[in-house]
Amino acid sequence: MSSAFKSTSDPISAPTDIKAHQNLWHERMLGEVKQRRNDHRSPFQRDRARILHSAAFRRLQAKTQVLGIGMNDFYRTRLTHSLEVSQIGTGIAAQLRRKYPQLKYLLDSMSLIESLCLAHDIGHPPFGHGGEIALHYMMRDHGGFEGNGQTFRILTRLEPYTPSWGMNLTRRTLLGVLKYPAPFSQLVIDTNQKPVNNHRQLKPSEWPAVKGIFDDDKPILEWVLSSLTDNDKQLIMRSEQTDTPPNYPHLKTIYKSLDCSIMELADDIAYAVHDLEDAIVMEIVNRGQWQAYVVEQLQSINDVWLKAEILKIGDKLFSYEHHLRKDAIGTLVNAFVTAINIKTKPEFNEHLLKYHAELEADFALALHVLKQFVYKFVIRKPEIQMLEYKGQQIVMELFEAFASDPERLLPLNTAERWSNAATEDNNPMRVLADYISGMTDEFAAKLHQQLFSSKTTAILDLSREL
């Protein structure tokens, strides 16, 4: 990081005109004059409703979280993960309101945090990371592809709540989903990587997605940031080289808003703890691995309670008594949620950027160790990687087929979008990425079978809105 965070023991003062400050962040790209009967909802309650009722949100029920859809009937999908992130996110916000009453003017809406948490994954394509890498590779010469960038695009352009402005959400909600608030062209580093001779040879580690907003959507990013001072705008878009993940060649942004930092912590906690629970239930990980790769790595921490809890919590996590495991999972989530504090970034003028939610050091280390544990023993498990690899091939072959003759193979409404983009020289390949990324795992697999299998199958209905 280019600057150190300061403790919130520093004096905190609300903006002189809180109402004017709030109104600025309640603005929408497309002005609305809807006068619905007795509708007294806040702007963020309306944002939450639009996200919750969107087709993009519903499709998360049939998209891979970690374990492939259809492998079993009780573990998490992208949808249930997003619901859990929402629950954790509102828990974090409630804790911070109690800890920092002087910041209640910023932590004034649980609906806002719910909106961010429910929306955070809607841009992820079918087949998880495999699908994301596949689309990024196919879009490598056309502005790239990345799940967070696609989330922003769905919210602001694609979801048909309005003709061309997506869900038309408030400026603050859009700022909150910006985990990487800078355009692709500012972040990408050309590594002179040569394309593979065959799609089956593609290695995800050699083609990491650029984490940012697509250049096609720069005008909307500029609108979201337009209320900031020039200094704040330059800072929020600042980027640098990073070693997380290892060997990541591109630049990554440094800053995000207070709301986004809460959402991101909730996402990390849900990923580390709840995906761990799925792995334990399915016996993908065992007690010996937990002891060697979690307990032993956390023996150097200073927090007395956490150190003692990590030593004994394995008994409950790996117990055959389901209620004990649930109690252990709840204990872990509670521990992380209550160990979050707000730090100050004095270089910012805007209060939504000046404050940042952050885990205490020992708990941050524990969360990192849990995430690495899940990555090593679950995500990198060969059986899981085979499913990811298979999805990767499906997505690349679908893209290649559609790109070969879009007006022939795409559904009529998508073909029209492609034709308009091609006529206006407006990156028609982005239309293909939009179409494929919106598919569920099952729809993509069935479409692939219809295109490439020699077996006769029923005609797949392409007319539905994707």
Side-chain angles (χ1 to χ4, degrees):
M1 290 288 187
S2 59
S3 63
F5 293 131
K6 292 188 178 180
S7 165
T8 48
S9 59
D10 296 343
I12 296 175
S13 58
T16 1
D17 189 341
I18 292 179
K19 188 67 176 174
H21 180 264
Q22 289 175 334
N23 288 341
L24 183 69
W25 291 103
H26 289 173
E27 290 177 355
R28 303 177 189 274
M29 287 183 291
L30 181 64
E32 293 186 356
V33 291
K34 295 177 182 178
Q35 298 295 329
R36 288 178 175 163
R37 182 175 179 271
N38 296 330
D39 189 352
H40 302 296
R41 293 175 299 167
S42 72
F44 302 128
Q45 287 174 321
R46 296 182 187 197
D47 284 357
R48 178 185 59 188
R50 293 176 191 188
I51 292 163
L52 193 60
H53 294 295
S54 67
F57 181 72
R58 288 195 301 277
R59 288 189 200 106
L60 295 178
Q61 67 188 303
K63 290 193 178 187
T64 294
Q65 168 63 11
V66 172
L67 304 171
I69 300 297
M71 288 179 66
N72 215 313
D73 61 358
F74 66 90
Y75 54 69
R76 290 161 172 90
T77 65
R78 289 269 180 190
L79 180 66
T80 57
H81 165 73
S82 297
L83 294 173
E84 288 172 335
V85 173
S86 177
Q87 186 272 326
I88 294 171
T90 54
I92 293 171
Q95 287 287 332
L96 293 176
R97 276 177 64 93
R98 293 187 186 96
K99 283 186 180 180
Y100 303 96
Q102 69 274 43
L103 288 180
K104 280 186 178 179
Y105 69 97
L106 292 179
L107 301 165
D108 57 339
S109 174
M110 291 298 145
S111 295
L112 168 67
I113 300 301
E114 283 185 87
S115 296
L116 303 181
C117 294
L118 292 172
H120 84 281
D121 260 356
I122 63 173
H124 282 265
F127 308 112
H129 185 61
E132 182 179 52
I133 292 299
L135 279 176
H136 175 62
Y137 177 76
M138 301 306 286
M139 290 290 290
R140 63 192 181 278
D141 297 324
H142 308 285
F145 180 89
E146 194 266 337
N148 296 289
Q150 189 68 15
T151 292
F152 186 76
R153 184 167 172 80
I154 289 171
L155 296 177
T156 60
R157 283 194 187 274
L158 301 181
E159 189 66 28
Y161 187 90
T162 63
S164 56
W165 298 106
M167 298 187 201
N168 197 33
L169 303 179
T170 61
R171 192 194 306 268
R172 182 168 173 182
T173 297
L174 294 178
L175 180 71
V177 298
L178 285 171
K179 291 175 69 173
Y180 309 104
F184 172 94
S185 56
Q186 181 180 311
L187 303 169
V188 65
I189 299 295
D190 185 2
T191 58
N192 297 312
Q193 184 77 14
K194 293 182 179 179
V196 295
N197 294 324
N198 187 293
H199 289 164
R200 295 184 179 181
Q201 300 172 343
L202 184 71
K203 295 180 180 179
S205 61
E206 296 177 355
W207 294 92
V210 179
K211 296 183 178 297
I213 300 303
F214 308 137
D215 280 44
D216 301 298
D217 302 321
K218 276 176 66 175
I220 303 176
L221 173 64
E222 289 168 1
W223 178 83
V224 174
L225 304 181
S226 63
S227 62
L228 303 176
T229 64
D230 289 342
N231 178 68
D232 281 3
K233 196 182 301 182
Q234 290 174 9
L235 281 173
I236 193 67
M237 298 176 72
R238 182 179 293 176
S239 57
E240 62 181 22
Q241 290 284 169
T242 176
D243 56 359
T244 54
N247 304 315
Y248 181 75
H250 307 294
L251 300 175
K252 283 179 77 174
T253 53
I254 302 169
Y255 300 111
K256 54 183 65 68
S257 71
L258 170 64
D259 304 325
C260 187
S261 69
I262 293 172
M263 175 266 282
E264 192 168 36
L265 283 169
D267 187 23
D268 285 348
I269 293 168
Y271 165 79
V273 179
H274 290 140
D275 290 348
L276 168 66
E277 181 184 15
D278 278 354
I280 292 171
V281 171
M282 294 189 70
E283 299 183 348
I284 293 175
V285 296
N286 58 49
R287 180 76 177 271
Q289 292 165 334
W290 169 266
Q291 186 67 32
Y293 289 89
V294 176
V295 176
E296 291 184 13
Q297 285 196 56
L298 293 176
Q299 288 311 293
S300 60
I301 60 178
N302 297 316
D303 189 279
V304 176
W305 180 89
L306 181 59
K307 191 171 184 176
E309 196 63 32
I310 290 294
L311 282 171
K312 64 183 182 182
I313 206 168
D315 293 334
K316 291 182 178 180
L317 282 175
F318 293 92
S319 170
Y320 288 104
E321 298 289 337
H322 296 319
H323 69 279
L324 293 178
R325 184 168 56 248
K326 281 294 181 186
D327 179 63
I329 293 298
T331 298
L332 282 173
V333 172
N334 174 262
F336 290 124
V337 167
T338 55
I340 295 171
N341 299 312
I342 291 180
K343 299 295 179 68
T344 304
K345 296 177 287 183
E347 60 269 38
F348 282 100
N349 178 65
E350 168 55 53
H351 288 220
L352 287 173
L353 305 179
K354 186 185 288 289
Y355 304 110
H356 180 92
E358 186 179 283
L359 267 169
E360 295 172 15
D362 283 345
F363 289 84
L365 175 60
L367 186 62
H368 173 75
V369 169
L370 285 182
K371 286 172 65 178
Q372 291 303 305
F373 183 72
V374 170
Y375 180 78
K376 179 179 179 66
F377 291 105
V378 182
I379 293 176
R380 295 303 299 174
K381 189 176 174 67
E383 292 85 343
I384 303 298
Q385 285 299 304
M386 286 181 185
L387 290 172
E388 191 173 287
Y389 176 82
K390 182 179 180 180
Q392 182 178 307
Q393 304 309 309
I394 288 173
V395 168
M396 286 191 288
E397 289 178 7
L398 285 177
F399 193 103
E400 187 176 50
F402 290 131
S404 71
D405 199 343
E407 294 180 312
R408 177 189 181 194
L409 298 176
L410 288 171
L412 295 178
N413 60 332
T414 308
E416 186 178 354
R417 282 186 61 220
W418 183 90
S419 179
N420 291 339
T423 302
E424 298 168 9
D425 195 21
N426 195 22
N427 196 6
M429 290 304 199
R430 180 64 62 196
V431 176
L432 302 187
D434 290 340
Y435 179 56
I436 295 172
S437 69
M439 296 178 183
T440 62
D441 294 20
E442 183 181 7
F443 185 87
K446 284 183 176 179
L447 187 54
H448 182 271
Q449 184 180 26
Q450 181 163 305
L451 279 168
F452 298 108
S453 174
S454 58
K455 294 181 181 178
T456 303
T457 58
I459 294 177
L460 191 62
D461 180 15
L462 301 181
S463 63
R464 65 176 185 163
E465 193 68 39
L466 272 170

